[in-house]
Every structure is written in structure tokens, then in C-alpha cells.
């Protein structure tokens, strides 16, 4: 059975992303959830790079650490119980994990935005859609002014050795319930950007008056209104029907170049990833086990877990063959673990798999995998 695998591989572990186009780099990131009884290791030495104007999909079973990864990037993990054990998250070469909360908040929304899984619970039910998007725009302008004032203050201190006087905000503070014409026009523009045809009516509606697909588009509009460089979408199509899901995915793909942003898509659905992603990252039990171009992954997956996930997908033909479920279950991450976490479920497991944890190596150009079948080590 091992003959199915190509063992002629490179042992280089350098990432495929070029440094010039790098937007976000995660290095050796480990995060644990603390409890009275044990610490659950949700992320285990994760390495990840995201380039500019790219759509990266992170896939895996429930509980593999996808949402923890997303929340750690935007800084919304509850600490405690979550605790960063080691590693760093660098956004445009700035180490976000070393920043204080008040400084980290400056990146949230305006630099890194997030679309949450259920739009109905993320939108405020007592305020109109237009007011909520306008507030996102007001936050963006307020932070832009804050950065401008900080820069002017620094220049005056260096030049005249004095503190800059307090400067009035360039825009009046936003108040719900009465949009100025300028603000209303920008809200309408953002709604039209997410392909809402009747934006003039939607702007004055409450969230409960909209369909699930419309609410998800409003959530995307709120995120885009702050003009982030990185947009994190955590299961954005879970609550949508198949037709609406396809429309939202197509919209997200079109917006990458249109608004000059990158998207990190968190999903458990490989079919979703195959439709829109440039690159797919497969996670298992807190580890990245495969990182590949989307076409390479679906044409010829390398890791046994990726192969198992693909074998569970119905092909839609009249073939009477049964689906092949992955045997066993995910290991208990609250206990110390030695060896490969997938070994107990893997039909290709070797002796070394129970002794050491495989590292992520570049098995093919732009295709990394964490498996001893490709590392050149067998004992």
C-alpha cells in the first residue's frame, strides 16, 4: 500500500510564500485552554504565511483548532482560559502578540476584520442596517484621525520640542438614527459593493427583516467598510442554502482584487474550499498536516488525513460504492502526546509514527506535508 506514495521529495521546509508579498506570518504558535483539571493544546507550533490579495482556506474537522487560529489573529481569544504558550503573529512585520490590548485594538477592524459564523447573532437587532455600517465607517475615520494626530504630535515634539495641541476630530462623532448625506452615500456604496441591488431599501431595514444571505452580505459590507488588508471569514456560509452559499462565495472571490484585500476562510467543507481558495491548509488536532495549492491538493493529496477527508465526499455519480469514513477518533489533546497525532487512525502508520512528531516539509514545489512517508525517515 505504501507504493501509492511518492517518496522522492525535498527535505526543505521553507514556506512557498515570498517575503515581498507577505501580509501575515505566524511562527511556532501554540495556544492552550486552561481548566482546573488540565490544559488542552488547541494549536501546536503552527507556522503559516498569508500573502497579499490571496484567498487561503483552512479546513479540518470540528475541534481541530481552526476558529482558535482565526480568533488569535484578530486578538479576540478570551485570556484566560486561552493562553499563548509560545510563538508570534506578525502583521506587516509587527508582532501583534507583543502588543498591549489598547495597541492591539488599533489593528482590529481597520487592518484585520472578521466575518462571524452566524450573522443574525452578530448584528444588533435594535438598530438599522445603515446605522451599523455607518458606525463601522465612523470607527475607521476616527482611527485614521488618531494615527494622523499621533504622527503630527510626534513631528512637533521632534521639531519644536513641545507637545502638539489637542486637535479636533475631522469628522463629527457618529450618532445612530440620523445619517448625513455624505455618510449615507458611502453606506450605499458599500452595500452595492457586496451586490445588494436594492441598497436604498436595505439601508433602512432591521436585521430580522432580511434573509440569511442578505444578512451575511451586510456582515461582509460592515467588514469591508473599514477597508481591512486581511478579512477573516469563519464558516461564513454554514447557515445558508446551497444557492445563496454559491453567491456569497463568488462575491468573496471577486472582492479580493476589487477592494485589495486578502481572505482567510475557515471552513469544514472541502467543497467550499475547492470553489474559491488559492491555497488550502489542512488542520488536524491543532497541527497543520498539509499546505498546498488548491489544484494540487484535490488532484493528488499527500497526507493520509487529507486523503481520508476527500474519500468521505460524495461524488454525485451513480457509483454504488460506499463512502469511506475515517476510522477511530481524534486524540485527547488535554494529555501529553508523543508521536504523530494521526497515527492511530492511519493505515500507513510506521514504528517511527508512535515515537516522534513529523515536521512540515516541502514534498513538492509549493506543497508541504507533515508525514514520515515524505520526510525520508522510516525508523
Amino acid at each position: 500500500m505504501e507504493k501509492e506514495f511518492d517518496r522522492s521529495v525535498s527535505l526543505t521546509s521553507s514556506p512557498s510564500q515570498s517575503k515581498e508579498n507577505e501580509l501575515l506570518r505566524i511562527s511556532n504558535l501554540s495556544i492552550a485552554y486552561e481548566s482546573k483539571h488540565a490544559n488542552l493544546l488547541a494549536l501546536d507550533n503552527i507556522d503559516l504565511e498569508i500573502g497579499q490579495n490571496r484567498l487561503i482556506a483552512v479546513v479540518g474537522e470540528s475541534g481541530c483548532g481552526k476558529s482558535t487560529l482565526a480568533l488569535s489573529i484578530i486578538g479576540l481569544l478570551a485570556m484566560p482560559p486561552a493562553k499563548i504558550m509560545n510563538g508570534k503573529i506578525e502583521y506587516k512585520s509587527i508582532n501583534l502578540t507583543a502588543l498591549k490590548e489598547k495597541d492591539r485594538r488599533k489593528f482590529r477592524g481597520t487592518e484585520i476584520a472578521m466575518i462571524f459564523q452566524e450573522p443574525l447573532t452578530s448584528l444588533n437587532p435594535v438598530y438599522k442596517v445603515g446605522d451599523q455600517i455607518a458606525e463601522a465607517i465612523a470607527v475607521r475615520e476616527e482611527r485614521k484621525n488618531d494615527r494622523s494626530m499621533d504622527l503630527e504630535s510626534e513631528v512637533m515634539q521632534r521639531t519644536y520640542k513641545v507637545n502638539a495641541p489637542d486637535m479636533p476630530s475631522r469628522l463629527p462623532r457618529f450618532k445612530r438614527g440620523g445619517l448625513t448625506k455624505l455618510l449615507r452615500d458611502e453606506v450605499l456604496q458599500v452595500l452595492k459593493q457586496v451586490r445588494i441591488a436594492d441598497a436604498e431599501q436595505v439601508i433602512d431595514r432591521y436585521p430580522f427583516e432580511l434573509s440569511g444571505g442578505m444578512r451575511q452580505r451586510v456582515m461582509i459590507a460592515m467588514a469591508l467598510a473599514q477597508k481591512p488588508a486581511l478579512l477573516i471569514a469563519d464558516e461564513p456560509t454554514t447557515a445558508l442554502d446551497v444557492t445563496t452559499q454559491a453567491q456569497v462565495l463568488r462575491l468573496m472571490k471577486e472582492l479580493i482584487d476589487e477592494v485589495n484585500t486578502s481572505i482567510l476562510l475557515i471552513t469544514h467543507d472541502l467543497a467550499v474550499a475547492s470553489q474559491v481558495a488559492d491555497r488550502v491548509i489542512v488542520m488536524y488536532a491543532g497541527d497543520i498536516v498539509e499546505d498546498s495549492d488548491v489544484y494540487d491538493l484535490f488532484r493528488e493529496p499527500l497526507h493520509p488525513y487529507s486523503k481520508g477527508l476527500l474519500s468521505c465526499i460524495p461524488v454525485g455519480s451513480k457509483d454504488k460504492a460506499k463512502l469511506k469514513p475515517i476510522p477511530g477518533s481524534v486524540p485527547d489533546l488535554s494529555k501529553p502526546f508523543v508521536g504523530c497525532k494521526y497515527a492511530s487512525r492511519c493505515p500507513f502508520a510506521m514504528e517511527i509514527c508512535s515515537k516522534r512528531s513529523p515536521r512540515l516539509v516541502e514534498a513538492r514545489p509549493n506543497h508541504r506535508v507533515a508525514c514520515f512517508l515524505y520526510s525520508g525517515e522510516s525508523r
Side-chain angles (χ1 to χ4, degrees):
M1 295 181 71
E2 292 183 12
K3 292 182 180 179
E4 295 181 24
F5 293 90
D6 179 12
R7 294 177 181 271
S8 57
V9 298
S10 165
L11 298 185
T12 58
S13 58
S14 58
S16 59
Q17 180 62 49
S18 63
K19 189 72 175 178
E20 298 80 28
N21 297 323
E22 190 175 274
L23 181 67
L24 183 87
R25 173 180 286 268
I26 298 175
S27 306
N28 300 319
L29 183 65
S30 295
I31 295 177
Y33 288 97
E34 298 178 319
S35 69
K36 294 181 180 179
H37 306 289
N39 289 346
L40 190 150
L41 191 61
L43 296 181
D44 190 2
N45 291 315
I46 294 295
D47 290 310
L48 172 64
E49 302 83 34
I50 299 176
Q52 297 177 352
N53 292 57
R54 302 279 286 171
L55 198 156
I56 311 299
V58 179
V59 301
E61 295 174 270
S62 296
C64 70
K66 303 186 302 294
S67 293
T68 297
L69 176 63
L71 293 172
S72 68
I73 294 172
I74 200 169
L76 291 179
L77 282 174
M79 297 188 179
K83 181 180 180 181
I84 297 179
M85 310 299 290
N86 57 264
K88 57 184 178 180
I89 302 171
E90 293 177 290
Y91 172 76
K92 295 181 178 178
S93 300
I94 299 173
N95 185 5
L96 299 180
T97 54
L99 298 178
K100 295 180 179 179
E101 175 56 25
K102 66 176 182 179
D103 297 319
R104 185 75 179 268
R105 197 178 297 126
K106 297 176 182 178
F107 291 87
R108 194 175 299 139
T110 50
E111 292 286 344
I112 304 173
M114 188 164 182
I115 304 170
F116 294 94
Q117 187 167 344
E118 178 47 66
L120 188 58
T121 59
S122 301
L123 294 169
N124 196 319
V126 300
Y127 294 111
K128 295 179 180 179
V129 164
D131 285 342
Q132 298 190 55
I133 298 176
E135 188 169 12
I137 295 172
V139 169
R140 180 196 74 199
E141 294 299 321
E142 184 177 346
R143 290 183 180 176
K144 185 192 298 182
N145 291 341
D146 288 343
R147 285 193 291 267
S148 177
M149 286 187 287
D150 289 343
L151 179 60
E152 290 185 38
S153 175
E154 184 179 344
V155 170
M156 290 192 70
Q157 288 181 27
R158 290 181 178 178
T159 307
Y160 304 106
K161 308 299 182 183
V162 295
N163 292 328
D166 292 337
M167 297 166 51
S169 177
R170 290 167 176 75
L171 287 179
R173 284 190 174 275
F174 168 72
K175 293 182 179 180
R176 293 190 180 97
L179 301 182
T180 64
K181 185 180 184 306
L182 182 63
L183 200 51
R184 186 181 180 88
D185 288 345
E186 186 167 356
V187 173
L188 288 172
Q189 182 181 355
V190 173
L191 287 173
K192 291 176 181 178
Q193 197 172 47
V194 295
R195 315 298 189 262
I196 294 180
D198 55 342
E200 289 78 5
Q201 285 74 43
V202 172
I203 194 174
D204 294 317
R205 292 179 183 173
Y206 292 93
F208 65 85
E209 298 180 279
L210 304 178
S211 66
M214 279 288 204
R215 287 194 293 264
Q216 194 60 276
R217 289 170 188 258
V218 169
M219 283 293 297
I220 296 173
M222 287 180 62
L224 293 178
Q226 299 192 61
K227 298 182 179 179
L230 176 62
L231 180 61
I232 301 172
D234 187 8
E235 303 276 8
T237 60
T238 298
L240 306 179
D241 61 77
V242 176
T243 303
T244 307
Q245 173 179 291
Q247 294 173 349
V248 171
L249 290 173
R250 185 167 58 250
L251 168 64
M252 293 177 65
K253 186 69 173 178
E254 292 171 354
L255 289 174
I256 289 179
D257 293 322
E258 193 172 315
V259 300
N260 193 31
T261 189
S262 294
I263 297 177
L264 180 66
L265 175 65
I266 306 296
T267 180
H268 65 274
D269 192 338
L270 280 168
V272 167
S274 69
Q275 293 178 51
V276 295
D278 301 311
R279 191 167 121 236
V280 178
I281 293 168
V282 182
M283 290 190 67
Y284 179 78
D287 294 334
I288 291 178
V289 296
E290 192 158 358
D291 177 357
S292 168
D293 175 90
V294 63
Y295 300 107
D296 288 343
L297 182 78
F298 284 89
R299 182 175 61 247
E300 190 174 359
L302 298 182
H303 198 280
Y305 178 61
S306 303
K307 287 176 174 285
L309 289 178
L310 288 173
S311 69
C312 295
I313 301 177
V315 295
S317 67
K318 295 182 179 180
D319 188 359
K320 295 182 180 180
K322 295 183 179 180
L323 297 178
K324 299 178 182 178
I326 301 175
S329 58
V330 179
D332 186 355
L333 299 181
S334 65
K335 299 178 180 178
F337 202 90
V338 178
C340 174
K341 296 175 183 176
Y342 190 65
S344 62
R345 310 175 71 181
C346 180
F348 307 100
M350 300 176 288
E351 183 180 353
I352 192 174
C353 300
S354 61
K355 298 178 179 179
R356 292 169 49 194
S357 177
R359 60 191 179 94
L360 206 60
V361 298
E362 191 166 9
R364 294 174 185 164
N366 299 327
H367 195 150
R368 299 189 297 168
V369 61
C371 181
F372 286 116
L373 290 168
Y374 303 94
S375 66
E377 303 171 83
S378 60
R379 58 178 69 181

